[in-house]
Amino acid sequence: MIPLLETLPPTPSSPWLSVLFAAAAPPFLTEAVLFLVAGAVIAFLCHRLGLVPIVGFLAAGVLIGPGGLGLVKDRELIDGAAELGVILLLFTIGIEFSLEKLASIKRLIFVGGGLQVGLTTAITASCLMAFGVDWKVGIFTGFLVSLSSTAIVLKLLGDRGETNTEPGKVALGFLIFQDLGIIVMVLLVPMLGGGGGSAGELLMALGKATALIVVVLVVARRLMPPLLERVAATCSPEIFLLSVVALCFGTAWLTSLAGVSVSLGAFLAGLMVSESRFSHHAFTEIMPLQILFSAAFFLSVGLLLDVGFLMSNLGLVLGAIAAVLVIKLVTTGVSALVLGYPLPTALASAFILAQVGEFSFVLERAGREVGLFPAGTESVGSQTFIAATVVLMVLTPPLGQLGRWLASRCEGKREEVARAKAAEGAEEDHDFSDLSDHVVLAGYGDAARRLASALRRFDVPFVITTLSPEGATQADGEGYRVLRGDASKTAILQEVGLDRARMLVIADDQPVIAHRITAVARSLAPSVRIAVRTRAPEDLQELIHAGADLAVSDELESTLELCSDLLRSYGADGTAIDDYAGDARRSAARSSGDPRPTAPRPTASSIRAQRYVDLDRSHTLDVDPAVCGHGNKVREVSPRTAGCEECLANGEEWVHLRMCMTCGHVGCCDDSPHQHARAHWESHGHPIMKSLEPGESWGWCFEDEVEL
């Protein structure tokens, strides 16, 4: 259990409270009622003032705690409620995550998180040693400062819907490493204090923790989905809720036996549930409990603050707060930048992680038991550490807002620079207004260089946009048309005529940058075809969802090349090998989360109303200029969805399918209930569609009202 209240200051007497509650109520009930009522009332007042609920809960804890009115004194009751809150909060966050997402940020966790913790510990220890503090105390204090509040940060990100943003992923990756790092820190503290422990014991504890985590992940893949299927088959909400709660707390308890923090255990339990198709059901069932006990956790943190000590030592506490802020902002920001994230993301993540975490209280207590105190100042140091930590937790919401504001200002400056570079480039040597039906190459790495060479050989018009001065100089030297600028900016894409282009190719960028370029390009030019090359298959899902028409994985293509060579050596038919490769690519697209190839198949009773189309077949349409003047809007396109796009999203039926010959949108005909093909023309202005019914090849111009 997290002993959050073991360092509480002395409780002032409250004789009027005894009179007020003179009735024979159970002692725990009186404090529980005060606890909940104060939290609800103050949280409501903070809401009316426009503050986030967390601030209200923390303020309520300060008010009713021993350092305030002294209304709550039962430490065991509040400690238990606080720990339940941490476990349930991390469990729900794990449900919303997934093993695939966790694997996708492994570099963030181990490289970024390790760098952040290491830098914070090293800088803190170095600063203290400069003032004559022993190096062991410096490292111990660095451990305390390096941890951030998993509960507060992830709660804020979840409430704002920012868990899957770039700053949210950076924060989550760093926090997961910190929770893993607690295992090592708790084992090292006795060594630093001279209280025993050995390298062998450290390795044994780490081995047990690793083995338990592996077991949890295997269970998530193999056992959890069928188990939840069985439980859900009972159709009993009570049994389902009890089973989910038992899984949550049981996993947290098991991981704690191996020395792993209960918060990480609860997160792993949520990951297990996320692998089941009943994850959303579990999330909705557990959420009311999570809200209640998470409020208890934040209230309990507020109880720790001794207002009297804070006021009498205000300068000391403010100095400690300033030092922690500077160190955490620098180390977190630098770690994010080293991983290749842009400055706005580094700023936003640094400010959201600038506080000290709840598990630092556990570590501080472990240090006191072996004679280690923050900054080596014994009782004053402990109280200063507690006061600074609680104040920083209270300041987390405004610090997060400040980080987002600075990030947006920085992003605005980057856009201004990009526009200036675009204008400068256009004035110097390029005018792209003559380009039409061309290819835009975003970036100029190795793959883009090979593509550019092939495009020039086959006389395909193209333009390159890159931020790399070396790449731009090299492209200029090859005689290519180049615009220096960031392809994720609207101004740059407009300058190279993306709305007139046939295709955008992103061949060399990192997945995060490629995702950003894809999303911006898709919103700017709905009809352009977007192709992205990425390193690993797990990146395909987000790129397809961002709007890419084609996402190619290096690993997949290299494997297919090896397989094709192997099959040819055994005399397999070349056409059969090509068919196999095509099937493998389509299977990868489906497993990557692309909704287009995975539309539901028709049943015998709805074969007419629910006919589907081949997503891999491209279509074109010849338009006689004497009949229709909109032939320049026709492109070679493939269906974007296997059926009517809007009907599939809404679970509705259609009669016949029509495809937009500008962007590949598939809509239902005028005989269908919702006429989505016509609605697409009215909203997007794409005039020509083609019938997708078997055996039909005619088209229709909505503007000229003629058959083609």
Side-chain angles (χ1 to χ4, degrees):
M1 186 166 62
I2 304 173
L4 288 180
L5 300 187
E6 295 216 1
T7 51
L8 281 174
T11 305
S13 59
S14 304
W16 59 272
L17 184 62
S18 302
V19 176
L20 183 63
F21 291 96
F28 78 89
L29 182 60
T30 299
E31 296 197 4
V33 169
L34 288 168
F35 195 71
L36 294 174
V37 170
V41 171
I42 297 179
F44 174 77
L45 293 176
C46 287
H47 174 75
R48 295 298 299 269
L49 295 173
L51 302 175
V52 295
I54 290 176
V55 174
F57 296 139
L58 291 169
V62 173
L63 180 65
I64 65 177
L69 299 177
L71 304 182
V72 175
K73 301 182 290 293
D74 191 336
R75 300 181 180 184
E76 291 187 4
L77 171 69
I78 308 308
D79 265 348
E83 183 141 1
L84 291 178
V86 173
I87 291 173
L88 289 169
L89 174 63
L90 271 295
F91 180 65
T92 55
I93 290 168
I95 293 177
E96 291 186 287
F97 221 66
S98 68
L99 292 176
E100 285 75 16
K101 288 183 180 179
L102 189 63
S104 70
I105 62 169
K106 57 183 180 292
R107 185 166 176 265
L108 257 176
I109 296 173
F110 296 106
V111 178
L115 185 61
Q116 184 267 330
V117 170
L119 283 176
T120 304
T121 302
I123 292 175
T124 303
S126 299
C127 292
L128 291 175
M129 289 169 61
F131 288 94
V133 177
D134 183 72
W135 68 270
K136 296 180 180 179
V137 175
I139 291 177
F140 169 68
T141 308
F143 286 167
L144 299 178
V145 175
S146 67
L147 302 177
S148 300
S149 175
T150 303
I152 292 178
V153 172
L154 295 185
K155 176 67 173 174
L156 279 174
L157 293 173
D159 289 345
R160 294 169 178 165
E162 298 175 355
T163 305
N164 288 319
T165 62
E166 282 190 0
K169 290 180 179 179
V170 171
L172 180 62
F174 288 10
L175 288 169
I176 290 175
F177 183 87
Q178 290 173 14
D179 279 350
L180 289 169
I182 292 169
I183 306 169
V184 180
M185 293 176 187
V186 170
L187 294 170
L188 287 176
V189 164
M191 299 182 191
L192 294 173
S198 65
E201 292 173 346
L202 176 63
L203 292 175
M204 179 66 71
L206 289 175
K208 287 194 301 181
T210 303
L212 187 56
I213 292 172
V214 170
V215 169
V216 168
L217 297 181
V218 170
V219 169
R221 286 290 194 187
R222 304 295 182 186
L223 300 181
M224 192 49 53
L227 177 61
L228 283 182
E229 291 273 356
R230 290 288 187 90
V231 173
T234 64
C235 297
S236 170
E238 295 85 359
I239 295 176
F240 188 83
L241 176 60
L242 286 172
S243 301
V244 170
V245 172
L247 171 68
C248 169
F249 289 100
T251 306
W253 174 71
L254 286 174
T255 55
S256 69
L257 295 180
V260 181
S261 71
V262 291
S263 66
L264 183 61
F267 180 77
L268 291 172
L271 284 178
M272 289 196 293
V273 175
S274 75
E275 295 301 301
S276 166
R277 63 191 185 96
F278 293 97
S279 59
H280 293 293
H281 184 192
F283 182 84
T284 55
E285 291 289 341
I286 206 77
M287 184 52 66
L289 288 175
Q290 184 260 311
I291 292 172
L292 175 63
F293 287 105
S294 292
F297 165 75
F298 296 118
L299 280 161
S300 69
V301 172
L303 292 173
L304 291 172
L305 183 61
D306 183 351
V307 179
F309 177 86
L310 174 63
M311 298 309 298
S312 59
N313 298 272
L314 187 59
L316 181 62
V317 174
L318 290 178
I321 290 172
V324 170
L325 276 177
V326 170
I327 292 173
K328 294 296 284 286
L329 291 174
V330 170
T331 56
T332 306
V334 168
S335 300
L337 290 172
V338 168
L339 290 177
Y341 286 92
L343 182 59
T345 299
L347 282 172
S349 57
F351 274 89
I352 197 68
L353 292 173
Q355 75 294 123
V356 177
E358 57 273 3
F359 284 99
S360 292
F361 294 122
V362 180
L363 204 60
E364 190 271 340
R365 174 177 166 274
R368 278 191 286 114
E369 292 176 353
V370 296
L372 292 174
F373 297 90
T377 54
E378 299 192 3
S379 60
V380 174
S382 294
Q383 287 297 323
T384 302
F385 165 75
I386 292 170
T389 299
V390 175
V391 172
L392 281 169
M393 287 181 170
V394 174
L395 291 177
T396 298
L399 283 173
Q401 292 176 346
L402 176 60
R404 291 198 307 277
W405 179 78
L406 289 173
S408 65
R409 291 293 301 270
C410 183
E411 189 71 28
K413 292 292 185 182
R414 291 179 71 204
E415 289 183 0
E416 290 179 12
V417 172
R419 292 191 198 99
K421 286 183 177 180
E424 179 183 351
E427 290 172 2
E428 284 179 358
D429 46 14
H430 289 301
D431 177 14
F432 305 104
S433 60
D434 62 311
L435 284 173
S436 179
D437 202 31
H438 57 292
V439 175
V440 177
L441 293 179
Y444 196 61
D446 292 338
R449 291 185 181 94
R450 290 191 292 269
L451 285 171
S453 176
L455 292 173
R456 179 160 64 178
R457 180 173 179 177
F458 288 92
D459 295 324
V460 175
F462 67 95
V463 61
I464 298 164
T465 174
T466 178
L467 272 173
S468 168
E470 296 82 4
T473 301
Q474 183 177 354
D476 271 333
E478 297 287 341
Y480 299 145
R481 306 183 71 173
V482 185
L483 178 64
R484 293 164 173 82
D486 185 352
S488 68
K489 305 306 176 188
T490 301
I492 297 298
L493 294 176
Q494 289 175 333
E495 187 69 27
V496 295
L498 183 68
D499 57 327
R500 305 186 305 274
R502 173 176 292 196
M503 194 168 189
L504 167 67
V505 179
I506 309 164
D508 297 289
D509 277 310
Q510 297 177 357
V512 171
I513 299 173
H515 181 282
R516 188 185 308 130
I517 296 172
T518 301
V520 172
R522 178 55 68 210
S523 63
L524 183 63
S527 63
V528 75
R529 182 168 174 79
I530 301 176
V532 188
R533 169 182 166 268
T534 186
R535 299 291 181 189
E538 58 262 25
D539 299 325
L540 297 176
Q541 177 179 358
E542 291 192 5
L543 293 169
I544 290 293
H545 286 172
D549 297 285
L550 173 65
V552 179
S553 162
D554 281 353
E555 293 180 10
L556 174 64
E557 293 304 321
S558 60
T559 302
L560 289 177
E561 182 65 26
L562 288 171
C563 183
S564 298
D565 184 73
L566 175 65
L567 292 173
R568 287 189 181 92
S569 69
Y570 278 88
D573 179 68
T575 303
I577 294 174
D578 292 341
D579 290 342
Y580 165 76
D583 291 341
R585 292 186 181 98
R586 285 188 286 273
S587 177
R590 285 192 293 271
S591 64
S592 73
D594 183 356
R596 296 176 292 181
T598 57
R601 306 314 305 168
T603 62
S605 61
S606 60
I607 197 72
R608 177 174 174 78
Q610 295 293 92
R611 183 177 292 114
Y612 292 78
V613 296
D614 182 2
L615 291 163
D616 298 316
R617 180 188 170 193
S618 60
H619 297 255
T620 187
L621 185 68
D622 294 327
V623 178
D624 185 350
V627 177
C628 172
H630 301 97
N632 60 335
K633 301 291 186 181
V634 172
R635 304 175 186 272
E636 182 177 349
V637 294
S638 299
R640 291 198 327 209
T641 50
C644 175
E645 189 167 328
E646 291 80 5
C647 290
L648 285 173
N650 298 326
E652 298 165 340
E653 296 185 351
W654 60 82
V655 178
H656 300 295
L657 295 176
R658 312 290 187 236
M659 182 174 64
C660 173
M661 293 307 296
T662 300
C663 68
H665 170 272
V666 179
C668 51
C669 67
D670 286 354
D671 292 331
S672 300
H674 302 288
Q675 302 181 356
H676 286 128
R678 181 174 292 275
H680 176 75
W681 162 62
E682 292 172 348
S683 61
H684 290 76
H686 299 167
I688 297 178
M689 65 82 174
K690 181 181 179 182
S691 172
L692 289 180
E693 293 304 301
E696 296 182 355
S697 59
W698 57 271
W700 177 264
C701 178
F702 286 106
E703 291 193 18
D704 293 335
E705 297 186 346
V706 294
E707 183 175 334
L708 306 171

